[in-house]
Amino acid sequence: MARQLTMAMANPCCRPSLPLCRLVRCSSAPARRSANYPPSSWDYDSLLLSLNNPGHDRAGDPWNFVKLKAGVREQLVRASRGDDQIAKLRLVDTMQRLGVAYHFETDITGILTSVHSSKPPRCSWDDDGDVASAALRFRLLRENGFAVSLTGNYLTPALQSDNAEGLLSLYEASYLSFRDEETLDEARTFCANGLRELLPSMEPHLRCSVVHALDLPLHWRSPRLEARWFIDKYARDASNSDPLLLQFAMMDFESVQTVHQQELVRLLRWRKETGLGEKFGFERDRLMECFHCANGIVWEPNHGSCREMLAKLTSLLVNLDDVYDVYGTLDELILFTDTIGRWEECPMEILPEYMRALYSVMYDTSNEVANNVLKKHGFDVRSLFQEAAKWHHGNQIPALEDYLYNGAVSCSGPLLLQHAFSMLNMEVNSKYIDLVRSYPRLIQSAALVLRLCNDSATHSAELERGDAPSSIAIHMLENNSSEHESRKAMKDLTNDAWKSINEDAFKNDQFSIPFAMACVNLARTSHCVYQGGDGFGAPNGRKNEQIAELFLEPLGLTNNDKW
């Protein structure tokens, strides 16, 4: 209903006249739908009691942390002075996957700069046959913004033997491709098939890595989830792991986890103070899942205010979608859409109580962010947020009217990123605001991945409820294709969107690095939230495990591959 209403409101002839206000006000018991969403898996009162317990402060001895950090930095310094480029690259890759590279950005940039300048910006294994190293060099340089290409005949003997490490490294690197690099697409398919054939003969530790990569490639994984998984894997590979680096990674993980727990306490209190849980008996109460999503977009401890804002906003958008897609009547929704379109503190419409409550919290939350930006940068971004709100469910939409474009706008991605932009940029001015307001391709592509991941997970349930057709259903209808064929077509669109993300985040340099990475991470967390099911509509045990292990439980190392 939300998508249908957005299109209807684009036509002024479809808008209601004032007497409709009286109709809504006097309506006694309108017929309402139900999506039968399961209740929240989390007891907020118990969580607050547990997280307020001082026993959850597991950050460790600060002095020991400082000593470990100094030891890791010394490793980087020694590596930078050496001539072994492969050792340098492997150290940087390990630190990134352990989630500690953010402590050493200057050192790592120096190492990668030296690696990039020591050879032509072309990574190839044709000379020495070292596929794994060439692909690793390409991946690390490209994802850190260096101009580089990957060449080489992927059908050479180096990739036709039992070179599983080479296949895996090239497979992971292929996901950093740009739109004009079709050879990398071919290499990806070739490597995936080769890895599946070699799986039965692999030793357990390598098999674990390959299964993990084939399930979802590294470049598409949420960084914090990957760090949690990789710390566990790294600890179990005692013969190849560095005890100093492992100890530092574990201590840092729990230090960051403590920061996230403090944020959760504030968010749980905010949720209780809004009273929406009592006024919204029909909605999905998914605050923990929303914080998980926000953490996937920006996880670094210094971005806590941005993360809390994104969690609040995501929670409100989930409620908003439930109003539009399930609970609200058409008359109510037309009024509510007009209210959002004007974005006034005291709307003139006579709205039902549940809509008034939701609108008030939405307005106050957005204004809170705008006021903080005004104090920090001296720039008023309220007009930007107003426009984003109209995009989401209002009476203004971008020029293109096809489903995928409108679906990417209405899926919340642009709204989240526009709010994040004002909190992540060192500079906020009219030039950058106009750029973000223009709905640039980086935001479009990240939001499109979110829309397609959502459609893939929710298609069947939405059909049963009689919701507006998803991209899969529309493709089936227009092409007379099977569901399997249409899902593959949407997967191809996802791959294309990722190529655009790669170009705009790592090549075109329009935005600050923190904001560009927030866009990349929105696409990544879309896969995380919707892989294996609807992480907002019906979170399964796997999603609950991820949330618990990221935010609630001590870092206990396990012997299984959950994620």
Side-chain angles (χ1 to χ4, degrees):
M1 184 180 290
R3 301 174 196 136
Q4 295 167 330
L5 185 64
T6 300
M7 295 299 296
M9 292 304 293
N11 183 349
C13 299
C14 295
R15 296 176 191 163
S17 57
L18 187 60
L20 188 56
C21 300
R22 302 190 185 94
L23 174 63
V24 172
R25 191 180 187 184
C26 299
S27 178
S28 54
R32 300 189 186 277
R33 302 166 65 213
S34 172
N36 295 317
Y37 290 123
S40 174
S41 304
W42 310 96
D43 183 332
Y44 294 161
D45 291 330
S46 297
L47 281 175
L48 276 171
L49 183 63
S50 175
L51 293 173
N52 279 319
N53 186 329
H56 273 79
D57 185 7
R58 300 186 305 274
D61 178 8
W63 176 238
N64 191 33
F65 182 84
V66 170
K67 289 193 294 184
L68 288 170
K69 183 176 178 179
V72 174
R73 173 165 278 120
E74 179 57 31
Q75 287 189 359
L76 279 170
V77 171
R78 285 199 305 270
S80 67
R81 293 171 179 166
D83 297 326
D84 191 341
Q85 285 203 359
I86 303 307
K88 295 178 186 180
L89 292 171
R90 287 174 179 164
L91 177 59
V92 170
D93 184 45
T94 299
M95 294 178 69
Q96 288 187 351
R97 298 190 70 171
L98 287 170
V100 298
Y102 74 103
H103 286 289
F104 312 101
E105 290 177 351
T106 301
D107 305 89
I108 288 174
T109 299
I111 288 176
L112 294 177
T113 300
S114 70
V115 170
H116 182 257
S117 60
S118 65
K119 289 184 178 180
R122 181 179 64 88
C123 302
S124 175
W125 59 85
D126 284 341
D127 296 332
D128 57 12
D130 189 353
V131 181
S133 297
L136 176 62
R137 180 176 185 266
F138 167 80
R139 175 167 64 81
L140 290 179
L141 290 176
R142 175 159 286 186
E143 71 184 8
N144 284 279
F146 292 90
V148 67
S149 62
L150 181 62
T151 61
N153 182 2
Y154 65 89
L155 295 178
T156 59
L159 279 174
Q160 294 192 49
S161 61
D162 58 350
N163 184 5
E165 286 86 357
L167 289 169
L168 179 59
S169 185
L170 180 56
Y171 172 80
E172 295 284 26
S174 71
Y175 283 90
L176 273 295
S177 65
F178 294 160
R179 288 176 298 171
D180 57 349
E181 296 176 327
E182 289 81 6
T183 302
L184 284 175
D185 297 337
E186 298 171 4
R188 179 190 306 171
T189 302
F190 177 84
C191 290
N193 292 336
L195 288 168
R196 290 188 183 97
E197 290 178 7
L198 292 173
L199 265 178
S201 61
M202 290 179 190
E203 54 89 13
H205 193 73
L206 179 58
R207 187 188 305 122
C208 172
S209 296
V210 170
V211 170
H212 189 67
L214 292 175
D215 183 50
L216 194 68
L218 173 62
H219 186 51
W220 289 9
R221 286 190 175 273
S222 177
R224 197 67 181 154
L225 280 175
E226 176 63 16
R228 178 63 185 82
W229 177 84
F230 193 75
I231 288 172
D232 186 44
K233 177 180 179 293
Y234 192 66
R236 287 186 277 123
D237 188 18
S239 60
N240 294 306
S241 61
D242 182 323
L244 174 68
L245 189 52
L246 175 61
Q247 188 177 357
F248 177 68
M250 293 175 65
M251 184 173 284
D252 183 68
F253 184 92
E254 294 199 334
S255 174
V256 175
Q257 185 184 64
T258 299
V259 174
H260 292 164
Q261 289 173 347
Q262 294 166 353
E263 294 163 4
L264 265 177
V265 168
R266 291 190 289 271
L267 286 167
L268 290 168
R269 289 173 178 163
W270 167 81
R271 174 71 182 183
K272 292 173 72 71
E273 289 169 1
T274 64
L276 291 179
E278 291 74 30
K279 297 170 183 174
F280 273 47
F282 60 87
E283 45 83 60
R284 289 170 290 175
D285 186 352
R286 299 289 186 264
L287 183 61
M288 294 294 288
E289 290 78 8
C290 292
F291 182 69
H292 185 22
C293 176
N295 187 74
I297 299 172
V298 284
W299 65 267
E300 297 86 347
N302 61 313
H303 291 317
S305 58
C306 180
R307 187 162 42 253
E308 289 185 53
M309 176 275 298
L310 288 174
K312 291 178 182 179
L313 192 57
T314 306
S315 178
L316 294 172
L317 290 172
V318 169
N319 294 162
L320 190 64
D321 279 348
D322 290 340
V323 168
Y324 271 88
D325 292 342
V326 178
Y327 192 74
T329 67
L330 181 59
D331 292 346
E332 291 172 347
L333 295 177
I334 292 173
L335 285 179
F336 198 46
T337 300
D338 269 351
T339 301
I340 292 175
R342 282 195 304 278
W343 203 243
E344 298 168 339
E345 182 175 6
C346 298
M348 60 183 291
E349 287 84 1
I350 303 174
L351 298 172
E353 181 182 357
Y354 77 94
M355 283 185 168
R356 288 201 307 271
L358 177 59
Y359 179 84
S360 177
V361 178
M362 287 171 53
Y363 187 89
D364 290 346
T365 301
S366 218
N367 268 7
E368 177 187 345
V369 178
N371 289 334
N372 289 337
V373 174
L374 184 61
K375 291 177 184 178
K376 182 177 179 180
H377 298 286
F379 196 89
D380 191 345
V381 294
R382 284 177 296 181
S383 62
L384 175 66
F385 295 164
Q386 179 183 4
E387 187 163 328
K390 292 176 182 178
W391 279 6
H392 186 71
H393 276 310
N395 55 13
Q396 293 184 6
I397 57 175
L400 297 179
E401 295 184 354
D402 62 291
Y403 169 86
L404 290 174
Y405 195 98
N406 289 325
V409 171
S410 66
C411 73
S412 310
L415 189 64
L416 294 173
L417 291 174
Q418 289 197 345
H419 279 72
F421 169 82
S422 62
M423 303 186 75
L424 294 174
N425 270 32
M426 295 298 293
E427 184 179 6
V428 176
N429 55 39
S430 58
K431 172 187 173 183
Y432 288 115
I433 291 297
D434 288 343
L435 177 59
V436 173
R437 183 182 280 122
S438 70
Y439 192 43
R441 192 178 68 172
L442 179 57
I443 294 179
Q444 288 182 43
S445 302
L448 180 57
V449 172
L450 174 57
R451 164 53 60 202
L452 292 171
C453 288
N454 174 282
D455 283 359
S456 177
T458 62
H459 166 73
S460 300
E462 288 179 347
L463 278 181
E464 292 177 3
R465 289 197 301 266
D467 289 353
S470 67
S471 56
I472 297 170
I474 293 173
H475 185 273
M476 291 172 64
L477 181 65
E478 291 183 351
N479 296 276
N480 194 28
S481 57
S482 67
E483 181 176 336
H484 175 76
E485 293 169 332
S486 293
R487 284 187 178 275
K488 183 181 183 304
M490 296 306 102
K491 186 176 181 180
D492 292 340
L493 282 179
T494 302
N495 287 328
D496 290 341
W498 264 109
K499 291 183 179 184
S500 295
I501 292 172
N502 292 338
E503 288 187 10
D504 290 326
F506 307 126
K507 176 184 176 182
N508 293 338
D509 198 26
Q510 277 186 304
F511 299 102
S512 68
I513 292 176
F515 179 71
M517 290 312 301
C519 295
V520 174
N521 285 337
L522 173 67
R524 287 170 169 166
T525 205
S526 302
H527 291 285
C528 161
V529 168
Y530 292 108
Q531 186 185 25
D534 183 357
F536 282 116
N540 56 27
R542 186 187 189 198
K543 297 295 187 294
N544 292 339
E545 276 186 8
Q546 291 175 350
I547 291 172
E549 294 204 25
L550 282 185
F551 308 123
L552 304 177
E553 298 175 357
L555 188 60
L557 301 181
T558 62
N559 290 312
N560 59 334
D561 182 18
K562 294 180 183 178
W563 307 338

